[in-house]
Amino acid sequence: MHLALFLIFAAVCVGGAINLLAQKHPINSALSLIVVMGSLAMIYLLLGAEFVAAVQVIVYAGAVMVLFVFVIMLLNAGVEERTPHASRVATLLGVPGLIIGLGISAWVVSRITGLDKIAIGGPSVMNGSDVFGNPQAVGQLLFRDYLLPFEVTSILILIAIMGAVVLARREE
Amino acid sequence: MISAVDYIRILPELVLSVFGILVMIVDPLIPEQSPKRPLGMIALVGVLAGLAATAYQVGFYGDAFFHSVQVNTFSVFFHIVILLIALVVLLTSCEYLEVQKIRAGEYYGLILFGTVGMMLMTSAVELVLIFIALEISSISTYILAGMRRRVAESSESSLKYFLLGSFATAFFLYGVAMVYGATGSTNIYTIAHALRTQQSTLAYLAVGLMFVGLGFKVAAAPFHVWTPDVYEGSPAPVVALMSTGPKAAAFAVLLRVLFGTGAIGWFWIVWLAAILSMTLGNIGALVQQNVKRLLAYSSIAHAGYLLVAFAAGREVGISGAIFYTATYAAMNVGAFAVVSHLSGEGEKYVTIDDYAGLGRRSPPLAGILTIFLLSLIGIPATGGFFAKFYVFSAAFQSGLTGLVIIGVINSAIAAYYYLRIIVHMYMRDERTEAPVARIPATLGIGLAISLIATIYLGVLPGRLLEYALTSARDLVK
């Protein structure tokens, strides 16, 4: 069962990544990227890393992708904007695919977080200590073992901002 | 728990970060029209303070921050090499920025932060930290490559470097993921321990992928195609930095990944990359007219000589590679310092023809450049000679006679194009009226540092070589 679920989401993930490259319109590519991020989140969930999976959805599939789409819409007023970008495959498979994907995801989420057991009054599996990817374990790793890499990332972000300022400024 | 000693073990990085931020704070306080000299001075003081902090670390060898940083002779050696590179580059930049009208604030800040990344690469023993440090050093050089905002080639080189560099970093990261898959850890110690008990196919794949990523950073063939274009378009002092600093740091990481972990199965990859880099680099350099492009191909060839030392392996090979890194940094930074002084406004004078008659127009500069070029050839009494000698003798001791023969033939080919510049300087009449500006004090100090280092290593290499041997032992321990 676990393997079958993994194969489904891995296939969706790789398919989304290939579609991302194959699409001509940037918005279509961005939407494919959401599929990739979403299925990656499900793979994390299958590995027992529910916190990472949630963060993946909130940060990547949510915040980062919104930013991507904004940037594309603001900057890409070029030829691509005027070309029609509806694909027939997407029209046919889009809604059924989405429903199936969400259905499987909902089932996995309810199984792994123990929501189904709570609903029928069984014991919850969410006691936290035996789970590898719970917030406590992630926090321990991030602020103990990987404290220095975590802090040094701030310099990386600082120079990235400096780079954006330097390269975007108009020279007179 | 984290104690004060942990902070001492990352003190040089902390000091340079603080000075980098200081440069950014002081920059807007200086009026727009007035010269930005003070920023250069702050950056110089920062690098000197970094050197002092590194010297202070000598009494505090050991691990810090939960085994993500290791301070020992190896890290201290590379810290000093990288800081000296940064020092000479800053001294060269003071004049260059004013001539080319490049904004100083971000430039000095990026050099300092980039140096932090390079230094962390050499002391990190945690692949996640190595990756982030590698990105800091790479991204700051991508940006610095595009700092000549009025020149299209500069933006081109920046973009090319960025796209290809990100691609190469992805290879490195994929290699890290494979190592984690093979050993369950990203820490060099744990990886070494796991690889001692069992080797797996994943580990071979991982080392191969990481070699691709690092091979790009050190401009080793067949991952070298970006080098000439990027070096041609970037500001000359930045080329001085990117052809030595990130390279030295990447070679340090490569030493750690290949020898610190005790990984096996990489010999033929390195062997092949060494031969390709030496041959393609030297043959490419033969036909170049632009001095920056010529030195770019020469730096590919030198990466090849260094990989010969890697292929030789063992303590002699590792210490040969460490020694070569330092020597190459000294002579190459010096050569590019001269190139950036001669280039003039908008880097107009960078072809070999512009160097014709330099021996008459500016005898001191011609003389200094000649010494650096002779060292790059590997003439005795310069550092380049002993560097090549140790590398080739290490390879010979490891029984790699074929590699030594190819290396020596390549050195002979290389002599042609270096000598061509010298011949132009002394035996051709000047065709251009290219004026040679007076050497400012800052550049003079920078040239003196690299000149003294090049000659010192050529006359008295013993002490540094002994130190390199100690570092090699510390690395494989």
Side-chain angles (χ1 to χ4, degrees):
Chain A
M1 193 65 220
H2 196 276
L3 183 67
L5 283 171
F6 169 76
L7 286 178
I8 291 172
F9 286 113
V12 172
C13 187
V14 174
I18 293 172
N19 192 43
L20 184 153
L21 295 175
Q23 290 295 332
K24 281 208 178 60
H25 198 283
I27 289 288
N28 288 0
S29 293
L31 293 178
S32 308
L33 191 55
I34 297 183
V35 173
V36 177
M37 300 291 189
S39 33
L40 271 182
M42 294 312 293
I43 291 175
Y44 293 149
L45 207 51
L46 289 173
L47 290 170
E50 74 248 5
F51 178 71
V52 179
V55 169
Q56 169 83 9
V57 171
I58 295 167
V59 176
Y60 282 96
V64 172
M65 286 313 301
V66 168
L67 211 62
F68 267 16
V69 173
F70 270 4
V71 169
I72 292 169
M73 285 182 163
L74 285 175
L75 295 184
N76 254 70
V79 194
E80 295 97 339
E81 279 303 285
R82 289 186 288 278
T83 50
H85 60 270
S87 99
R88 200 173 319 146
V89 185
T91 328
L92 284 175
L93 291 179
V95 175
L98 193 66
I99 290 171
I100 294 171
L102 284 179
I104 302 176
S105 307
W107 184 74
V108 172
V109 170
S110 66
R111 277 300 292 270
I112 284 176
T113 56
L115 282 176
D116 55 342
K117 296 215 179 63
I118 293 169
I120 55 172
S124 169
V125 292
M126 269 187 91
N127 49 15
S129 61
D130 58 334
V131 189
F132 157 78
N134 66 356
Q136 195 189 350
V138 173
Q140 278 284 345
L141 279 178
L142 199 56
F143 297 108
R144 224 189 77 97
D145 297 1
Y146 293 95
L147 176 66
L148 190 59
F150 175 77
E151 295 291 351
V152 169
T153 311
S154 58
I155 295 183
L156 182 62
I157 295 170
L158 181 64
I159 60 164
I161 296 170
M162 282 166 72
V165 170
V166 169
L167 297 179
R169 187 168 40 203
R170 209 180 292 276
E171 285 292 318
E172 65 283 342
Chain B
M1 275 297 98
I2 297 166
S3 62
V5 182
D6 287 62
Y7 290 103
I8 292 174
R9 286 176 185 150
I10 58 163
L11 194 59
E13 286 88 351
L14 284 178
V15 167
L16 277 204
S17 309
V18 168
F19 275 91
I21 294 166
L22 204 61
V23 168
M24 302 302 295
I25 293 174
V26 174
D27 180 32
L29 299 180
I30 300 175
E32 195 71 28
Q33 264 71 42
S34 57
K36 298 273 187 180
R37 279 275 154 134
L39 296 177
M41 292 306 136
I42 294 174
L44 280 172
V45 171
V47 172
L48 289 175
L51 275 169
T54 309
Y56 184 63
Q57 279 187 321
V58 170
F60 297 92
Y61 289 158
D63 288 357
F65 287 97
F66 310 102
H67 304 292
S68 34
V69 165
Q70 181 195 42
V71 176
N72 56 11
T73 48
F74 182 80
S75 79
V76 166
F77 180 89
F78 275 99
H79 273 49
I80 290 176
V81 169
I82 290 168
L83 282 167
L84 285 178
I85 292 170
L87 187 68
V88 177
V89 169
L90 286 173
L91 287 167
T92 315
S93 306
C94 285
E95 178 214 9
Y96 181 88
L97 292 190
E98 280 171 24
V99 174
Q100 313 285 346
K101 301 186 183 65
I102 290 174
R103 302 188 69 105
E106 292 86 359
Y107 181 93
Y108 289 126
L110 283 169
I111 286 195
L112 290 182
F113 288 128
T115 312
V116 171
M118 294 166 213
M119 289 197 296
L120 262 184
M121 278 166 79
T122 65
S123 58
V125 284
E126 164 66 54
L127 287 173
V128 175
L129 183 58
I130 290 179
F131 168 70
I132 291 171
L134 180 72
E135 277 300 87
I136 293 176
S137 116
S138 307
I139 291 180
S140 54
T141 37
Y142 302 154
I143 303 163
L144 285 168
M147 286 295 259
R148 287 162 69 205
R149 296 298 313 284
R150 293 173 183 80
V151 188
E153 285 91 26
S154 185
S155 307
E156 180 202 336
S157 85
S158 176
L159 190 67
K160 260 187 193 164
Y161 198 18
F162 171 63
L163 291 177
L164 291 172
S166 313
F167 192 56
T169 311
F171 273 96
F172 181 80
L173 198 55
Y174 204 26
V176 174
M178 292 291 165
V179 168
Y180 187 76
T183 63
S185 173
T186 50
N187 193 292
I188 298 280
Y189 301 134
T190 325
I191 294 168
H193 186 74
L195 287 184
R196 256 201 297 280
T197 45
Q198 62 167 55
Q199 293 278 349
S200 66
T201 335
L202 268 185
Y204 291 122
L205 194 61
V207 172
L209 285 168
M210 287 207 258
F211 182 75
V212 173
L214 294 170
F216 174 90
K217 300 289 172 199
V218 301
F223 320 109
H224 66 287
V225 276
W226 57 278
T227 323
D229 287 353
V230 171
Y231 284 17
E232 189 186 0
S234 308
V238 172
V239 184
L241 179 74
M242 71 163 88
S243 66
T244 50
K247 256 191 177 188
F251 272 120
V253 172
L254 201 58
L255 282 171
R256 251 195 223 292
V257 167
L258 297 187
F259 298 106
T261 63
I264 55 168
W266 45 265
F267 174 77
W268 290 109
I269 309 175
V270 172
W271 185 85
L272 192 67
I275 289 185
L276 280 176
S277 309
M278 288 192 289
T279 315
L280 292 178
N282 282 322
I283 291 176
L286 289 178
V287 294
Q288 299 305 323
Q289 286 304 317
N290 184 312
V291 176
K292 280 165 91 185
R293 280 185 88 86
L294 189 148
L295 287 174
Y297 278 104
S298 123
S299 92
I300 298 169
H302 281 279
Y305 299 132
L306 252 157
L307 287 176
V308 171
F310 278 76
R314 300 186 303 161
E315 271 167 21
V316 272
I318 300 170
S319 63
I322 295 173
F323 186 85
Y324 202 108
T325 313
T327 322
Y328 171 72
M331 54 200 187
N332 210 50
V333 163
F336 271 112
V338 177
V339 171
S340 62
H341 178 66
L342 291 174
S343 62
E345 197 191 336
E347 295 205 357
K348 274 180 291 193
Y349 309 113
V350 285
T351 63
I352 291 190
D353 289 335
D354 297 325
Y355 284 63
L358 191 70
R360 270 183 300 281
R361 282 184 290 155
S362 175
L365 269 182
I368 292 169
L369 185 58
T370 305
I371 292 173
F372 290 135
L373 291 174
L374 289 178
S375 181
L376 284 165
I377 299 174
I379 301 289
T382 58
F385 170 73
F386 278 110
K388 277 212 179 80
F389 175 74
Y390 291 133
V391 165
F392 288 148
S393 75
F396 196 72
Q397 282 174 41
S398 298
L400 304 172
T401 321
L403 210 50
V404 175
I405 292 171
I406 296 174
V408 171
I409 293 174
N410 264 298
S411 305
I413 299 174
Y416 168 75
Y417 58 81
Y418 293 125
L419 286 175
R420 195 155 72 104
I421 303 178
I422 299 177
V423 167
H424 267 264
M425 285 195 299
Y426 286 103
M427 297 174 193
R428 295 280 156 81
D429 290 330
E430 48 265 63
R431 270 186 246 165
T432 51
E433 289 303 302
V436 177
R438 213 174 49 81
I439 305 175
T442 44
L443 179 70
I445 300 169
L447 284 175
I449 294 173
S450 35
L451 196 63
I452 290 168
T454 307
I455 292 173
Y456 173 75
L457 293 176
V459 180
L460 299 164
R463 270 188 73 177
L464 192 83
L465 191 75
E466 219 163 88
Y467 194 86
L469 260 172
T470 321
S471 317
R473 275 189 211 111
D474 272 359
L475 177 76
V476 293
K477 198 159 60 186

